[in-house]
């Protein structure tokens, strides 16, 4: 359980009691960065005592709104359970539950506007300002933090630069949305490839059919490109595994085609313990 995530969700409005109940249950399962939530919709339904349709609809709405994202799957006895992550940036952007300050004049026992500066336990004087007081002077960011923020800004600029130039609108919002996606766990290189794929796909479109950049990132349309990237990588891994299996079979059977196996492939097979150096030398290759 993460108190940080739970407190952040508790202080925001989610639109209904059911939505608030579901996000609080998910926050109870999250790590401090909002990740690692794996519980089935049936589990959510049993613990919140809401209807199954309400749980399913709410999860779909959270995914569409970017409050939740899917980060993987975990095998279970009934197949698999989706692993979710709460996106803190999206939650923080929601309306706060705190009531606005209303000036009602002086009462009989007025509340002090700031913490006491008198002596406390053992005669030690307390701090004049609380950490969240408007007059608190915060420490300036460290060089490491400034350098990290500069790298993030450069990455966001590079990604936005790959978007169709004449359809870039509201650069500030576009860059902010890109940074939010990266902070939520999307690899910058993958996001860049997704943008390039859309730019190439829309080359033959009329300009009116190409989405403006701020809307494109806001609607998370890059997810389609990420899905294709992941699918391509999975195919490549499968092809690589199939190729290793063929090479391993050649060596085990001392096939004449073994002479075409390269030194790098041999090192790979030995490193994965698919063959032994003795088996490699037995077919006339150098281990």
């Amino acid at each position: 359980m993460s108190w940080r995530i739970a407190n952040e969700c508790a202080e925001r409005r989610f639109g209904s009691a059911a939505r608030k109940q579901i996000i609080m249950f998910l926050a109870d399962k999250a790590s401090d960065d909002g990740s690692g939530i794996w519980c089935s919709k049936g589990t959510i339904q049993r613990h919140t005592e809401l209807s199954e349709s309400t749980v399913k609809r709410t999860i779909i709405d959270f995914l569409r709104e970017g409050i939740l994202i899917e980060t993987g799957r975990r095998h279970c006895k009934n197949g698999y359970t989706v692993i979710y992550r709460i996106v803190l940036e999206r939650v923080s952007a929601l309306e706060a539950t705190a009531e606005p300050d209303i000036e009602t004049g002086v009462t009989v026992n007025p509340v002090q506007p700031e913490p006491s500066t008198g002596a406390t336990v053992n005669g030690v004087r307390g701090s004049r300002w609380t950490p969240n007081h408007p007059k608190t002077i915060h420490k300036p960011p460290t060089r490491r933090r400034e350098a990290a923020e500069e790298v993030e800004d450069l990455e966001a600029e590079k990604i936005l630069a790959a978007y169709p130039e004449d359809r870039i609108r509201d650069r500030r919002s576009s860059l902010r949305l890109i940074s939010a996606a990266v902070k939520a766990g999307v690899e910058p290189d993958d996001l860049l490839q997704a943008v390039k794929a859309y730019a190439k796909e829309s080359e033959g479109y009329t300009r009116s059919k190409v989405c403006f950049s701020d809307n494109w990132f806001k609607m998370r349309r890059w997810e389609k490109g990420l899905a294709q990237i992941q699918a391509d990588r999975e195919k490549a891994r499968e092809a690589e595994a199939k190729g290793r299996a063929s090479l391993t079979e050649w060596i085990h059977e001392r096939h004449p085609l073994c002479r075409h196996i390269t030194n790098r492939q041999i090192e790979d097979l030995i490193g994965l313990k698919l063959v032994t150096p003795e088996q490699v030398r037995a077919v006339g290759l150098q281990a």
Side-chain angles (χ1 to χ4, degrees):
M1 175 180 179
S2 171
W3 287 106
R4 178 192 175 196
I5 304 298
N7 289 339
E8 187 70 30
C9 292
E11 294 174 356
R12 300 294 165 181
R13 295 183 182 275
F14 286 86
S16 71
R19 284 167 60 92
K20 188 62 167 280
Q21 193 170 351
I22 291 173
I23 198 67
M24 291 304 298
F25 178 80
L26 295 174
D28 184 61
K29 308 296 182 184
S31 301
D32 283 342
D33 62 351
S35 64
I37 305 170
W38 59 280
C39 52
S40 66
K41 296 179 180 67
T43 300
I44 299 173
Q45 187 270 329
R46 287 194 301 274
H47 284 268
T48 60
E49 298 185 31
L50 298 169
S51 67
E52 185 178 354
S53 61
T54 297
V55 172
K56 289 182 177 180
R57 182 177 65 252
T58 303
I59 294 296
I60 292 173
D61 288 343
F62 282 159
L63 291 169
R64 186 177 65 249
E65 295 164 15
I67 294 173
L68 284 182
I69 59 173
E70 295 183 5
T71 60
R73 295 180 178 182
R74 185 185 181 102
H75 291 290
C76 63
K77 63 181 180 180
N78 296 323
Y80 66 87
T81 301
V82 176
I83 303 175
Y84 297 107
R85 176 176 182 166
I86 295 176
V87 181
L88 284 175
E89 291 79 7
R90 296 290 296 170
V91 173
S92 299
L94 298 175
E95 181 184 356
T97 57
E99 295 183 1
D101 294 332
I102 301 176
E103 296 184 1
T104 58
V106 178
T107 60
V108 176
N109 296 310
V111 178
Q112 292 182 345
E114 60 186 57
S116 172
T117 59
T120 58
V121 180
N122 298 327
V124 178
R125 184 175 295 275
S127 173
R128 184 179 181 188
W129 307 117
T130 57
N132 61 344
H133 194 281
K135 293 186 179 180
T136 299
I137 300 176
H138 295 280
K139 293 182 179 180
T142 62
R143 292 183 179 180
R144 181 178 297 179
R145 178 180 169 187
E146 289 179 339
E149 290 176 349
E150 185 177 352
V151 170
E152 290 177 0
D153 291 342
L154 290 174
E155 288 178 340
E157 290 282 0
K158 182 179 179 181
I159 292 170
L160 184 59
Y163 201 83
E165 184 177 0
D166 57 350
R167 300 302 283 176
I168 294 178
R169 184 180 69 179
D170 194 350
R171 293 183 61 86
R172 184 176 180 181
S173 294
S174 298
L175 293 171
R176 177 177 56 79
L177 291 166
I178 292 171
S179 298
V182 173
K183 289 180 180 178
V186 179
E187 289 294 332
D189 288 341
D190 290 348
L191 185 53
L192 176 60
Q193 294 306 316
V195 173
K196 287 182 176 179
Y198 178 72
K200 184 176 181 180
E201 175 189 342
S202 60
E203 278 182 355
Y205 295 177
T206 59
R207 294 296 87 185
S208 62
K209 292 186 178 181
V210 180
C211 190
F212 281 114
S213 61
D214 54 337
N215 285 338
W216 195 82
F217 288 106
K218 184 177 182 179
M219 293 186 292
R220 301 170 66 89
R221 292 181 62 177
W222 42 264
E223 290 180 337
K224 177 183 176 182
L226 290 186
Q228 185 60 51
I229 291 172
Q230 293 172 357
D232 291 343
R233 286 176 179 167
E234 185 62 30
K235 288 181 180 178
R237 283 193 290 267
E238 291 177 357
E240 191 175 5
K242 186 176 180 180
R244 289 196 186 104
S246 296
L247 296 178
T248 302
E249 185 178 354
W250 290 357
I251 292 175
H252 287 168
E253 296 180 355
R254 300 188 180 184
H255 197 282
L257 291 176
C258 285
R259 64 179 181 273
H260 297 295
I261 301 177
T262 65
N263 292 334
R264 186 173 181 178
Q265 290 172 327
I266 292 173
E267 292 176 359
D268 184 33
L269 295 176
I270 294 176
L272 294 172
K273 297 183 180 180
L274 297 176
V275 297
T276 64
E278 293 75 16
Q279 289 175 317
V280 171
R281 286 192 289 268
V283 295
L285 299 174
Q286 186 175 359

